[in-house]
Amino acid sequence: MSCRQWPPHGIQKSLTSYRAHLVILCMLVTVQLAIVLHNGEAVAAEKAAAPKPATIPQVISALRNWIMGISGGLATLFLTFGGVRYLMAGGDASEVEAAKKAMKASAIGLGIAALAPVITTVLKGIVYEGGQ
């Protein structure tokens, strides 16, 4: 009768790896929450400073800020999940490919969020030129 080794071979390494990945994920989520909360405080301070009625350019700028904030935050979150999925793939080709697809899609989302100011500038030009 042989005595079994505990933990089984390789499990301790994988548990340590999972813990490290979990710590990294928690750090990234914390940073993301800090950014979102900071943006919320800035928006609250801006609202408190300017209680007058909004004009069309202000509405468009507010929409741009919301679109950039939401899409940028979601894209960053999905990029984080894609990165964690890539790290946890463990050499499985299908998991690595799925993680790469997720990261590519989130990069496209970040690009769209970055283009939001350009889109709103075009919309402002159309609104002002069309109204004259």
Side-chain angles (χ1 to χ4, degrees):
M1 204 178 225
S2 67
C3 183
R4 298 179 104 185
Q5 177 187 3
W6 187 256
H9 179 68
I11 288 184
Q12 186 63 36
K13 182 181 178 206
S14 64
L15 287 177
T16 304
S17 176
Y18 286 131
R19 287 182 194 130
H21 296 248
L22 185 61
V23 167
I24 292 170
L25 177 64
C26 289
M27 288 177 10
L28 289 173
V29 168
T30 303
V31 168
Q32 183 66 30
L33 284 173
I35 290 170
V36 168
L37 291 175
H38 176 70
N39 287 342
E41 290 172 2
V43 169
E46 184 179 308
K47 284 182 181 179
K52 52 189 168 181
T55 62
I56 292 176
Q58 290 173 336
V59 170
I60 292 174
S61 294
L63 283 173
R64 180 196 66 205
N65 292 340
W66 274 97
I67 290 169
M68 284 179 60
I70 292 171
S71 63
L74 284 175
T76 304
L77 184 65
F78 284 119
L79 183 66
T80 303
F81 285 143
V84 169
R85 192 172 181 183
Y86 185 82
L87 289 172
M88 299 257 196
D92 184 11
S94 63
E95 279 295 316
V96 169
E97 192 61 35
K100 285 181 181 180
K101 283 183 183 178
M103 288 190 293
K104 182 179 178 183
S106 63
I108 291 170
L110 282 171
I112 291 171
L115 288 176
V118 174
I119 294 169
T120 55
T121 302
V122 170
L123 286 175
K124 282 181 184 179
I126 291 171
V127 168
Y128 287 129
E129 289 180 17
Q132 292 180 356

